[in-house]
């Protein structure tokens, strides 16, 4: 093999003499002679316990967030800087009468009541241009069947590794019954006043 070097790397747990196990990356390189025979091995063991602990913590956190996203009693939608839905949970699609995944690619404007679109777009523009970091809005959403319902949307930024806003997440709570009750109370009050 004319002096070629064969090598491999593996991550595994090693046992310490006194205090249990630790994670390490073992890098082993074989040194070969001109005739291809193995002359020796060079090995390096790097303690990666801290990295493995961080990875496990991250994996658990991602699992918790995914469970929260999936099973939250409110709708959740991730949108890009154009207001286009890039991901949503099942509850949000149920609220709007869509099958899971059908909302991906639609814009917030497309599912917002025409009378609420300008106000909704203004709020989204303010968060995208970082005039605000978050906002809450009560607005009407349009279901797939063309009917409307009232909801409260709380929207905030999701920052990337360099501190730039990459996506926007909204938590949407159905407040239709409350808004209808408020309307009935207002109508009753107004009819009493006249």
């Amino acid at each position: 093999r004319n002096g070629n070097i064969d090598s491999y790397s593996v991550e595994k747990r090693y046992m310490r003499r006194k205090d249990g196990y630790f994670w390490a990356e073992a890098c082993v390189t074989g040194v070969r002679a001109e005739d291809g025979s193995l002359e020796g091995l060079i090995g390096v063991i790097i303690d990666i316990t801290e990295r493995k602990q961080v990875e496990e913590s991250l994996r658990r956190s991602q699992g918790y967030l995914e469970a929260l996203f999936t099973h939250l009693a409110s709708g959740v939608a991730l949108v890009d800087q154009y207001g286009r839905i890039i991901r949503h949970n099942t509850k949000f699609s149920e609220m709007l009468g869509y099958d899971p995944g059908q909302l991906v690619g639609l814009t917030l404007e497309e599912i917002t009541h025409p009378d609420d679109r300008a106000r909704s777009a203004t709020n989204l523009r303010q968060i995208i241009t970082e005039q605000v970091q978050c906002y809450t809005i009560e607005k009407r959403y349009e279901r797939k069947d063309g009917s409307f319902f009232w909801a409260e949307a709380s929207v905030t930024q999701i920052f990337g590794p360099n501190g730039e806003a990459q996506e926007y997440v909204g938590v949407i709570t159905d407040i239709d019954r409350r808004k209808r009750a408020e309307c009935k109370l207002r109508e009753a009050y107004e009819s009493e006043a006249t």
Side-chain angles (χ1 to χ4, degrees), residues 176-194:
D176 200 58
R177 286 173 42 179
R178 187 193 88 203
K179 292 297 271 188
R180 290 182 192 281
E182 288 173 359
C183 184
K184 284 182 182 179
L185 280 172
R186 193 171 33 257
E187 288 171 359
Y189 178 76
E190 288 171 358
S191 70
E192 270 186 28
T194 55

Side-chain angles (χ1 to χ4, degrees), residues 2-194:
N2 291 336
N4 286 344
I5 298 175
D6 302 325
S7 63
Y8 74 92
S9 176
V10 65
E11 293 179 2
K12 64 181 197 172
R13 290 185 345 155
Y14 287 89
M15 191 166 130
R16 286 193 172 106
R17 203 176 279 194
K18 293 184 180 178
D19 60 351
Y21 294 91
F22 71 100
W23 275 99
E25 179 178 10
C27 303
V28 179
T29 301
V31 179
R32 298 203 176 266
E34 291 289 325
D35 65 2
S37 63
L38 186 64
E39 284 189 337
L41 297 172
I42 300 171
V44 177
I45 296 177
I46 303 165
D47 187 339
I48 59 169
T49 303
E50 186 175 324
R51 187 188 88 202
K52 285 293 198 179
Q53 290 169 341
V54 169
E55 288 173 354
E56 179 57 29
S57 177
L58 179 60
R59 211 174 357 268
R60 270 195 313 273
S61 292
Q62 288 173 331
Y64 297 148
L65 288 174
E66 187 61 31
L68 181 64
F69 183 88
T70 303
H71 302 294
L72 193 64
S74 295
V76 180
L78 290 173
V79 300
D80 63 15
Q81 70 268 24
Y82 305 106
R84 191 175 30 246
I85 299 170
I86 54 179
R87 186 169 179 218
H88 62 85
N89 69 354
T90 302
K91 181 65 177 178
F92 191 53
S93 58
E94 289 172 356
M95 292 167 76
L96 291 160
Y98 287 83
D99 291 330
Q102 283 187 316
L103 291 167
V104 173
L106 294 180
T107 63
L108 294 177
E109 181 177 345
E110 292 174 292
I111 58 171
T112 298
H113 189 285
D115 293 346
D116 298 333
R117 287 180 183 163
R119 191 166 45 92
S120 182
T122 297
N123 283 335
L124 185 61
R125 195 169 30 261
Q126 286 177 334
I127 201 168
I128 289 169
T129 58
E130 298 182 3
Q131 295 173 32
V132 296
Q133 289 187 335
C134 60
Y135 68 86
T136 300
I137 182 175
E138 290 184 358
K139 68 177 195 173
R140 290 162 288 182
Y141 282 91
E142 184 175 358
R143 293 187 181 99
K144 186 177 182 180
D145 66 9
S147 65
F148 297 94
F149 72 99
W150 279 98
E152 179 181 87
S154 296
V155 180
T156 191
Q157 301 166 325
I158 298 177
F159 294 97
N162 297 324
E164 76 285 356
Q166 290 186 321
E167 299 167 344
Y168 307 89
V169 62
V171 177
I172 300 92
T173 305
D174 186 333
I175 60 168
D176 200 58
R177 286 173 42 179
R178 187 193 88 203
K179 292 297 271 188
R180 290 182 192 281
E182 288 173 359
C183 184
K184 284 182 182 179
L185 280 172
R186 193 171 33 257
E187 288 171 359
Y189 178 76
E190 288 171 358
S191 70
E192 270 186 28
T194 55

